[in-house]
Amino acid sequence: MNDFFKISRTLSSKFQNEINISIVFNYLRENGPISRTKISKGLGLSAPSVSKAINNLERKGYILEIGQEKTSVGVRPKLLRIDNKGYVIGVDLGKRKIKIALVNLYDGFIFKYDGFEVPSNIEVDDKKITKDMISLLKSVITRAENKKLVERGNLKAICFAVSAPVSRKTKKIVDIPLYGNYRKIDFVDVFGKVFDVPIIVENDVNCSAFGEKKVINDKDLSDMIFIEISRGIGSGIILNGRIFKGSYGTSGEIGNSIVNTSNLDFKFRNKGFLEKYASVEGMKKNAIRGITNGKKSLITDLAGGDLKKIETRDVFLAAIKKDKFAKKIVDSAVDLLSIVILNLILIINPQLVVIGGDICKLPESQKIFLDPIIRKIKNTFTFDVPELRFSQTNEDAGVFGASLIAIEHLILEEFPFKINF
């Protein structure tokens, strides 16, 4: 997905009219319902230029009149908004179960569905799971059509959120440790042929970051970092309101961060260094490893004496009760993540850092996990630091974000010009 073209002034003749149409469309999409007069004032475009652009959009069926603006005197201006013309599908493959969302082009949820559980790593049969996903998507579309939630044949695009970096050049998965055989699937080709719509493949944390920004709904928020801590660790970076991917599409892969010189030779296999020790899954495995090697801990009792039943929740519960071994595991994760977040803040200088994922659902995670990170960061910097907080969304952020990215892809194709204030 390319960025919006950013322009400081309009041009002339036919091209100027195309630019004006695009600018008006994007302004109306972000600020509607709104009157023509307020569009003109907001954009600094002449009333005739705005009317010409709106008339063009109306002829193409992109705009709806939804009533009149309330005024105390004079003629009440007509209120305009973008029509819900068609819908897109977001598919989140980064969770234990496939999540699907149908969203109209005005960013409104139509239908959500949790699909089958995804087998991990080498258990993934690429041919079988491709067949299963196609069948599931067709079933969800048919269900939505039968319920009259969408018009038949009005699907416009599908975006897949995957737990992996995606090549900007080939649009294919670069590497995906959790679901190894996914990288054999050419999503754009296979699903494009079946559904005959544009197919977008995006990193799932980028999708979550995009969805989180939408939910926050702050027009002044242009730069933020979303860090997901679950089975793995990744980050989505938003700069100037857009996802920042880097030259090769691997920006934000902080799970592979090395935080000290003694670990420079760490070999990345199924997990990066940071996620091996600081992810939700990593903390659980560190607990099992330590107890297996003779460490005494309340964690064992909380798991009923069965090491196979130990979960990260038990580690946090034990840490709350001042269990030394459990506290050491959590404190170590806090230290490692503090270093990485500190460096991210120094490099990106965002307005906001949001932490999401399974970590948010653990007992007292604010008190024993997030608050210590905030203190360490504030104690390190002598200048202002961004707000750091847990995600405001639930686990639907990824699938919602994927849907929004599909919408952005469509809009950028037809309306690439936008004025950023």
Side-chain angles (χ1 to χ4, degrees), residues 88-153:
V88 299
I89 293 178
V91 184
D92 188 354
L93 302 178
K95 304 295 184 291
R96 294 188 187 276
K97 283 190 174 183
I98 288 179
K99 287 182 167 291
I100 297 174
L102 277 62
V103 175
N104 65 43
L105 297 192
Y106 200 56
D107 305 343
F109 262 124
I110 299 171
F111 186 72
K112 291 186 293 182
Y113 183 80
D114 287 354
F116 55 83
E117 190 164 338
V118 183
S120 62
N121 218 343
I122 58 173
E123 297 172 7
V124 173
D125 181 329
D126 58 300
K127 291 183 174 59
K128 181 180 185 303
I129 203 164
T130 300
K131 183 179 178 181
D132 289 347
M133 281 193 287
I134 289 171
S135 177
L136 177 61
L137 282 169
K138 286 181 176 179
S139 173
V140 170
I141 291 169
T142 299
R143 186 179 305 184
E145 288 175 345
N146 290 340
K147 290 184 176 182
K148 308 296 184 184
L149 298 173
V150 299
E151 291 184 20
R152 196 173 302 277

Side-chain angles (χ1 to χ4, degrees), residues 64-209:
L64 283 178
E65 290 184 2
I66 61 165
Q68 295 178 312
E69 188 175 18
K70 292 182 179 180
T71 57
S72 56
V73 294
V75 178
R76 293 183 176 183
K78 294 177 180 178
L79 289 174
L80 307 171
R81 74 162 174 81
I82 302 300
D83 189 8
N84 297 332
K85 191 176 184 180
Y87 70 97
V88 299
I89 293 178
V91 184
D92 188 354
L93 302 178
K95 304 295 184 291
R96 294 188 187 276
K97 283 190 174 183
I98 288 179
K99 287 182 167 291
I100 297 174
L102 277 62
V103 175
N104 65 43
L105 297 192
Y106 200 56
D107 305 343
F109 262 124
I110 299 171
F111 186 72
K112 291 186 293 182
Y113 183 80
D114 287 354
F116 55 83
E117 190 164 338
V118 183
S120 62
N121 218 343
I122 58 173
E123 297 172 7
V124 173
D125 181 329
D126 58 300
K127 291 183 174 59
K128 181 180 185 303
I129 203 164
T130 300
K131 183 179 178 181
D132 289 347
M133 281 193 287
I134 289 171
S135 177
L136 177 61
L137 282 169
K138 286 181 176 179
S139 173
V140 170
I141 291 169
T142 299
R143 186 179 305 184
E145 288 175 345
N146 290 340
K147 290 184 176 182
K148 308 296 184 184
L149 298 173
V150 299
E151 291 184 20
R152 196 173 302 277
N154 223 3
L155 174 63
K156 300 298 182 184
I158 302 173
C159 178
F160 290 92
V162 296
S163 298
V166 179
S167 169
R168 296 192 72 168
K169 184 177 181 181
T170 66
K171 311 302 181 186
K172 294 181 180 180
I173 292 171
V174 175
D175 189 29
I176 185 163
L178 286 177
Y179 309 113
N181 285 348
Y182 268 172
R183 67 172 171 268
K184 296 180 181 179
I185 303 172
D186 188 336
F187 285 86
V188 175
D189 180 62
V190 173
F191 289 88
K193 286 177 179 176
V194 173
F195 294 97
D196 193 27
V197 295
I199 305 295
I200 304 100
V201 187
E202 183 57 84
N203 174 268
D204 63 336
V205 187
N206 284 345
C207 291
S208 292

